[in-house]
Amino acid sequence: MRHLLSTADLTRDEAVGILDLAEDMADVATRAVPKLPTLRGRTVANLFFEDSTRTRLSFEAAAKRLSADVITFSAKGSSVSKGESLKDTAQTIAAMGVDAVVLRHSASGAAQVLAESDWIDAAVVNAGDGTHQHPTQGLLDAYTLRKTLHADASRGRDLDGVRVAIVGDVLHSRVARSNVWLLTTLGAHVTLVGPRTLLPMGVGAWPVDVTTDLDAAIAARPDAVMMLRVQQERMHAAFFPHEREYASGWSLDDDRFARLAADTIVMHPGPMNRGLEISARAADSPRSVILDQVTNGVSIRMAVLYLVLSGSDPREAAA
Amino acid sequence: MPARTVLQRADIARALTRISHEILESNRGGSDLILLGIPTRGVVLAERIAANLEAFEPGSGVVGALDVTMYRDDLHRHPTRTPSPTRLPAGGVDGKTVVLVDDVLFSGRTIRAALDAIGDLGRPRAVRLAVLVDRGHRELPIRADFVGKNLPTAAAERIFVRLEETDGDDAVSIEGIA
């Protein structure tokens, strides 16, 4: 695998392969020395043009468990605030010699631009670009679903017949987009739920069901409900009149949580707005796998870094 | 040059039976013994040896699988390898005698990777090596403790090990590069 830009590029076999590899990586964490020498001598640059805690830390932990060197760049306190462009930053990083770039950027398509440019020849892993894609989040969600449903027998399996409701601010959510393509590729059935104003234009062409009625979606007893964060920082218009009105229609509050089927799991990509899209009781309940998602994220990112950084260098092979 | 069969099914079975006896003899019984096969065919061989040990001395056939992909020194020279799962017996390797099992011993680099991998899993009392075929051409100071068959080869020749469980039949053949 040269780059990881979008979950829409993955075939079912590739996706299952990544999830299986992540299972091996998860086993590493349980050993006497929870570290592998695989990427010794390779350098991973985390370029974060947009705020992030868990994704950046997760990629950093993943790279370090594979013995790669990590250099981290975050836009705050960097020359980006002096007006430096993605191109200049990428070329600067390239001049220092890196093998992979993990890129988070507020512009949709930034990772694709970097991968196709001649600014840098490192592998590019998309860690979130605008409202477009966040492929490692989609993969860790698929991994968490598979692991929760099949436990130790999960290796090699897809998500055929699994039903997932993705709820809330779909419009601004790259997590939702990554999940829609990946989960349907793996055979799951996805229902998107949200207020009309927060469902994207053209959603009718996606391979999903769409509804505005969360209560009906809960009554349909999905295997998982994935609550999305209300992304107020991306909302430059009035998408709903008041937070209370949003919560009354689309929050997983205590009342709706009580109506969930007994084996429905609760997911959230974090960070959570407690009381807005999810209640504390739902978030902290035993059926919540939100912290498992964080743990699994490290395993998924180890698998992805291994896949883009191991194997013969295509530049050497061409030479 | 066509492939020449050097070990038939019965030869392989006899070699594995002898190796099983040698393992028990050198370990003075079957206690604190773990067989770790190196995927893919080493795991199959380890399971066969474990079945022998179990027959000779019940309770001694403890077996697992040790994937060494992530410890290889040639990851940049080949297309991306897909690792196999590592399965450790309950109780781990600490204080045990670990017998690594592989099909062919050649450069020794796989075994070097396996020794590194074991070091990250714990601290065994001793590590031994059992192989079905030793074909020579070592590139590291490594030797096998238990050998099914020593096969002198030219470096350019290739050895093919076929096993019932993975390939449908049991045979070891050698193929020259014409």
Side-chain angles (χ1 to χ4, degrees):
Chain A
M1 192 159 74
R2 175 83 175 100
H3 305 292
L4 178 65
L5 304 176
S6 163
T7 55
D9 303 334
L10 297 172
T11 64
R12 183 182 291 222
D13 286 347
E14 283 171 335
V16 170
I18 296 173
L19 301 187
D20 287 352
L21 183 54
E23 301 239 357
D24 296 332
M25 298 299 184
D27 292 342
V28 171
T30 65
R31 309 181 330 180
V33 180
K35 202 168 161 89
L36 292 168
T38 314
L39 298 182
R40 226 168 25 173
R42 314 223 104 192
T43 303
V44 176
N46 284 329
L47 298 193
F48 279 72
F49 289 87
E50 202 181 61
D51 293 339
S52 159
T53 347
R54 72 199 64 221
T55 305
R56 200 188 71 220
L57 290 175
S58 180
F59 267 108
E60 193 165 330
K64 286 180 171 170
R65 277 199 196 153
L66 291 170
S67 303
D69 294 311
V70 183
I71 52 181
T72 297
F73 159 97
S74 51
K76 276 209 182 98
S78 76
S79 291
V80 169
S81 45
K82 301 177 193 162
E84 192 174 67
S85 66
L86 173 60
K87 177 176 176 177
D88 290 332
T89 307
Q91 286 178 327
T92 305
I93 294 277
M96 294 175 189
V98 303
D99 301 293
V101 172
V102 175
L103 179 69
R104 155 81 50 109
H105 201 284
S106 58
S108 300
Q112 182 100 25
V113 168
L114 186 61
E116 289 172 358
S117 73
D118 56 1
W119 309 333
I120 190 165
D121 54 10
V124 176
V125 178
N126 184 1
D129 58 335
T131 60
H132 174 232
Q133 277 274 333
H134 190 356
T136 56
Q137 179 74 39
L139 285 162
L140 76 87
D141 288 336
Y143 180 96
T144 305
L145 272 168
R146 196 177 78 153
K147 200 75 190 163
T148 310
L149 293 171
H150 301 302
D152 288 341
S154 56
R155 222 179 268 271
R157 299 185 74 141
D158 53 25
L159 294 174
D160 259 338
V162 175
R163 292 177 311 125
V164 182
I166 301 180
V167 184
D169 183 1
V170 179
L171 179 64
H172 298 104
S173 179
R174 53 196 175 208
V175 175
R177 285 170 183 76
S178 284
N179 268 301
V180 164
W181 298 111
L182 181 65
L183 297 181
T184 50
T185 296
L186 286 169
H189 183 89
V190 176
T191 304
L192 297 178
V193 189
R196 189 69 68 196
T197 51
L198 290 175
L199 292 170
M201 294 273 287
V203 74
W206 295 9
V208 296
D209 284 344
V210 181
T211 174
T212 57
D213 187 347
L214 177 55
D215 294 305
I218 284 174
R221 306 171 66 89
D223 295 292
V225 286
M226 186 183 298
M227 305 307 297
L228 299 171
R229 184 170 64 89
V230 176
Q231 303 196 35
Q232 276 151 335
E233 78 278 13
R234 292 187 212 276
M235 293 186 186
H236 306 299
F239 290 90
F240 46 84
H242 193 275
E243 287 186 3
R244 261 199 315 245
E245 184 157 333
Y246 178 88
S248 76
W250 295 279
S251 167
L252 185 62
D253 54 21
D254 290 354
D255 175 49
R256 290 197 180 97
F257 178 65
R259 278 188 274 127
L260 278 183
D263 53 356
T264 300
I265 60 169
V266 176
M267 306 175 78
H268 192 298
M272 290 181 276
N273 297 307
R274 282 169 186 260
L276 180 49
E277 72 261 5
I278 190 166
S279 74
R281 179 179 295 173
D284 300 331
S285 78
R287 281 146 70 189
S288 152
V289 294
I290 295 168
L291 289 176
D292 298 304
Q293 289 173 275
V294 177
T295 308
N296 296 339
V298 178
S299 306
I300 282 289
R301 287 167 182 129
M302 287 171 77
V304 168
L305 287 174
Y306 170 75
L307 289 172
V308 298
L309 280 174
S310 74
S312 41
D313 191 322
R315 285 162 288 164
E316 284 170 24
Chain B
M1 206 166 113
R4 178 164 56 88
T5 301
V6 285
L7 292 181
Q8 317 267 4
R9 173 183 299 269
D11 303 320
I12 293 175
R14 268 195 297 274
L16 293 180
T17 307
R18 177 172 52 75
I19 288 175
S20 308
H21 282 297
E22 287 174 355
I23 289 173
L24 284 178
E25 188 179 11
S26 78
N27 193 55
R28 297 191 173 86
S31 59
D32 291 337
L33 191 62
I34 293 177
L35 299 171
L36 286 184
I38 298 174
T40 312
R41 291 181 185 77
V43 177
V44 175
L45 293 171
E47 279 162 0
R48 290 196 193 176
I49 294 173
N52 286 343
L53 296 183
E54 193 66 36
F56 303 150
E57 200 165 306
S60 63
V62 181
V63 65
L66 179 71
D67 186 78
V68 305
T69 308
M70 308 305 274
Y71 292 85
R72 301 195 77 96
D73 59 6
D74 59 356
L75 287 170
H76 299 328
R77 294 162 189 269
H78 297 280
T80 303
R81 292 165 183 266
T82 306
S84 309
T86 287
R87 287 181 285 106
L88 277 193
V93 299
D94 283 334
K96 307 283 173 55
T97 296
V98 171
V99 180
L100 287 171
V101 183
D102 205 0
D103 50 357
V104 179
L105 179 58
F106 184 23
S107 67
R109 289 177 189 269
T110 302
I111 305 306
R112 197 278 309 159
L115 291 172
D116 285 354
I118 288 178
D120 284 355
L121 294 173
R123 189 177 184 281
R125 194 177 65 75
V127 181
R128 312 282 182 219
L129 174 60
V131 296
L132 182 59
V133 172
D134 181 349
R135 61 165 297 187
H137 303 286
R138 217 74 77 237
E139 295 166 6
L140 295 170
I142 281 170
R143 66 167 177 78
D145 301 276
F146 313 104
V147 179
K149 172 90 174 163
N150 282 298
L151 272 185
T153 57
E157 285 174 323
R158 299 187 62 191
I159 300 277
F160 294 94
V161 174
R162 299 173 56 85
L163 296 172
E164 183 86 49
E165 294 88 331
T166 49
D167 313 284
D169 64 340
D170 275 10
V172 176
S173 56
I174 184 166
E175 190 177 279
I177 305 296

